[in-house]
Amino acid sequence: KRLAKISQLVTEHKNRQTNLSSAFAKIAEMVQNRSLIIVISDFWDEPSHIVTALKHFSHRFNEVIAFHIIDPAEQHLDFNRDAELVDIESNVSLATDTRQIQAAYQKAFEERSHYYKNALADNHIDYNLLPTSTPFDQALFAYLKKRSKIK
């Protein structure tokens, strides 16, 4: 029954701009018992809204693990050529020489990642950056191995 409700939320949010925080908050309200919540997402929404939404899970005494999926090309913007960047949600495009904006982009990306890591850690949520170049099973195994050493 819960899967149907989650599926309904996804359907309701289709063809709209990303609003992960709203979806997470609604799902958190549906979780009745203490649970292990694993979120696998690109987290492209307002970072403070995502943190607030994920806090709903941890405040309900759930254990939360967040996997931030990112394409290395998106992380590093390492194209070394002109590119047209297109927002897939709004279809707004920007033509640019990626070499001109690469350093500022990488700095902004690192700041965003550090914000997630620190803000989520402050709320007992485990944050993990996961490049798409790493097979998920290997990343999950590495995470579980790291986690077993902590406990």
Side-chain angles (χ1 to χ4, degrees):
K1 188 172 182 178
R2 285 193 189 132
L3 287 177
K5 289 181 181 179
I6 292 171
S7 174
Q8 181 181 358
L9 283 175
V10 171
T11 302
E12 289 172 6
H13 285 87
K14 261 187 181 172
N15 301 323
R16 292 192 207 169
Q17 287 190 334
T18 300
N19 189 351
L20 292 174
S21 54
S22 174
F24 289 164
K26 288 180 182 179
I27 293 168
E29 291 173 13
M30 291 189 295
V31 177
Q32 300 296 318
N33 302 323
R34 288 180 62 170
S35 302
L36 170 62
I37 309 293
I38 300 173
V39 177
I40 303 171
S41 173
D42 63 3
F43 292 137
W44 282 115
D45 196 346
E46 176 59 40
S48 62
H49 295 170
I50 289 179
V51 170
T52 299
L54 290 175
K55 285 178 5 182
H56 287 292
F57 291 118
S58 62
H59 286 294
R60 292 174 174 255
F61 304 104
N62 296 297
E63 182 176 355
V64 184
I65 303 168
F67 287 100
H68 183 173
I69 305 295
I70 189 78
D71 184 312
E74 191 176 8
Q75 181 178 359
H76 301 292
L77 201 68
D78 192 17
F79 298 118
N80 293 321
R81 66 180 190 278
D82 291 345
E84 181 178 14
L85 306 176
V86 180
D87 182 330
I88 62 171
E89 293 170 348
S90 67
N91 214 27
V92 173
S93 66
L94 171 69
T96 187
D97 178 348
T98 57
R99 294 168 291 211
Q100 292 179 343
I101 63 171
Q102 185 178 29
Y105 178 90
Q106 286 176 343
K107 182 178 184 222
F109 182 88
E110 289 301 318
E111 288 172 356
R112 185 181 194 117
S113 295
H114 286 295
Y115 170 78
Y116 279 129
K117 184 174 183 174
N118 294 331
L120 293 175
D122 288 347
N123 290 283
H124 311 289
I125 297 171
D126 197 357
Y127 172 79
N128 303 276
L129 190 62
L130 182 60
T132 57
S133 59
T134 303
F136 185 72
D137 60 336
Q138 289 178 12
L140 184 58
F141 179 75
Y143 169 77
L144 293 172
K145 186 175 178 180
K146 175 187 85 168
R147 183 179 162 127
S148 70
K149 290 179 183 178
I150 294 172
K151 298 217 175 205

